[in-house]
Amino acid sequence: MAVDYADHLYAGGYFGTAGGILASRVAKWDGSAWSPLGSGVDDQIKALTVDGIGNVYAGGYFTTAGGDSANYIAKWDGSAWSPLGSGMNNTVRALLLNGSGTLFSAGDFTIAGTNVSAYLASAELGISTVLSNLSVAQREGTKLVDLYYDFLSTGTNTAPVYIAIADRGVAVNAPSTTGDIGTNVVPGVMKHLVWDGGADWTENVATLQFTLHDDVEPGNGSESSLLAKTGQTISYATGDDGDLQT
């Protein structure tokens, strides 16, 4: 069994149903009901582990996952199964994913991928992050703006998150931002930062757009290496009194 960041429980074994629904060897419990992970796998699951963004890794006796070839090890990304390379040549009985993005496998195999690897192997999956669920709200009667977001990571180390603010397409310098922002943000949900718009921005009528990213200078050509692409953009306009308005 394994539990993800949202406290969903994943169970694997030799079963064919979970809670009365078809679920081939693996299922998810969301706190109120069981659901299958696609069409599941074709034989017993012996090990499960979950990374910080919700990918599920399964090992066992199976050789197909989601109807496609997957030799004894596979990944579920929330919508589809995929093999991990060419897999193993025999059963995977244990899985461990560390905070640096390394997946360790143990079992009866002697080959992992194309390498001779007796009973123990590792794969460098790397670190992926996801910025999501951005919300923005002005504190009534002030120019303080609260931003909340989820910052999920397959690793446990800190990672950079920056804010970009634009006024009708023109960048707004935002040094007066505090909270979960900067080079060492700890992954988690409901991260919080505060921007003091009164200190950084003096226009009375505008539309402001807020974007979170991992690049100090968005637009400098390095967007392809972003930890997360631009997510939701929240726009705010100001009235003649200078207060930010939705």
Side-chain angles (χ1 to χ4, degrees), residues 184-209:
N184 294 298
V185 177
V186 177
V189 297
M190 287 295 288
K191 309 303 291 186
H192 178 219
L193 62 94
V194 179
W195 176 53
D196 186 347
D200 296 339
W201 178 71
T202 58
E203 295 291 329
N204 287 329
V205 179
T207 296
L208 294 180
Q209 297 177 319

Side-chain angles (χ1 to χ4, degrees), residues 9 22 45 71 75 104 144 229 236:
L9 173 69
L22 292 175
I45 286 178
N71 292 318
K75 180 180 81 170
F104 296 92
L144 296 176
K229 295 292 185 181
Y236 280 73

Side-chain angles (χ1 to χ4, degrees), residues 1-115:
M1 292 189 292
V3 178
D4 68 13
Y5 68 90
D7 289 332
H8 297 143
L9 173 69
Y10 297 86
Y14 196 65
F15 54 85
T17 63
I21 64 167
L22 292 175
S24 184
R25 277 73 177 186
V26 63
K28 180 178 79 172
W29 173 256
D30 65 4
S32 59
W34 287 99
S35 60
L37 274 61
S39 58
V41 300
D42 68 333
D43 208 337
Q44 185 176 6
I45 286 178
K46 297 293 292 182
L48 289 172
T49 191
V50 183
D51 67 24
I53 64 175
N55 294 317
V56 180
Y57 299 87
Y61 291 97
F62 58 86
T63 55
T64 66
D68 295 324
S69 178
N71 292 318
Y72 308 104
I73 190 168
K75 180 180 81 170
W76 170 258
D77 66 4
S79 59
W81 286 98
S82 60
L84 269 64
S86 56
M88 317 305 196
N89 68 337
N90 210 332
T91 306
V92 172
R93 296 183 177 275
L95 293 171
L96 174 67
L97 183 63
N98 71 11
S100 299
T102 304
L103 178 66
F104 296 92
S105 307
D108 302 334
F109 55 85
T110 56
I111 296 176
T114 59
N115 300 315

Side-chain angles (χ1 to χ4, degrees), residues 58-239:
Y61 291 97
F62 58 86
T63 55
T64 66
D68 295 324
S69 178
N71 292 318
Y72 308 104
I73 190 168
K75 180 180 81 170
W76 170 258
D77 66 4
S79 59
W81 286 98
S82 60
L84 269 64
S86 56
M88 317 305 196
N89 68 337
N90 210 332
T91 306
V92 172
R93 296 183 177 275
L95 293 171
L96 174 67
L97 183 63
N98 71 11
S100 299
T102 304
L103 178 66
F104 296 92
S105 307
D108 302 334
F109 55 85
T110 56
I111 296 176
T114 59
N115 300 315
V116 174
S117 186
Y119 315 120
L120 183 65
S122 66
E124 298 299 329
L125 303 180
I127 300 297
S128 299
T129 61
V130 175
L131 288 166
S132 63
N133 298 326
L134 173 62
S135 65
V136 182
Q138 177 200 359
R139 296 187 193 178
E140 185 175 358
T142 76
K143 281 192 176 181
L144 296 176
V145 180
D146 292 291
L147 293 91
Y148 292 90
Y149 65 97
D150 293 342
F151 182 39
L152 305 180
S153 174
T154 57
T156 57
N157 298 327
T158 59
V161 177
Y162 298 97
I163 187 172
I165 303 175
D167 176 356
R168 290 160 291 185
V170 178
V172 174
N173 193 25
S176 303
T177 307
T178 58
D180 293 316
I181 199 76
T183 58
N184 294 298
V185 177
V186 177
V189 297
M190 287 295 288
K191 309 303 291 186
H192 178 219
L193 62 94
V194 179
W195 176 53
D196 186 347
D200 296 339
W201 178 71
T202 58
E203 295 291 329
N204 287 329
V205 179
T207 296
L208 294 180
Q209 297 177 319
F210 299 84
T211 303
L212 294 179
H213 59 91
D214 80 320
D215 194 302
V216 180
E217 298 181 56
N220 68 0
S222 62
E223 280 78 11
S224 62
S225 64
L226 294 183
L227 294 179
K229 295 292 185 181
T230 300
Q232 298 99 320
T233 300
I234 312 299
S235 297
Y236 280 73
T238 63

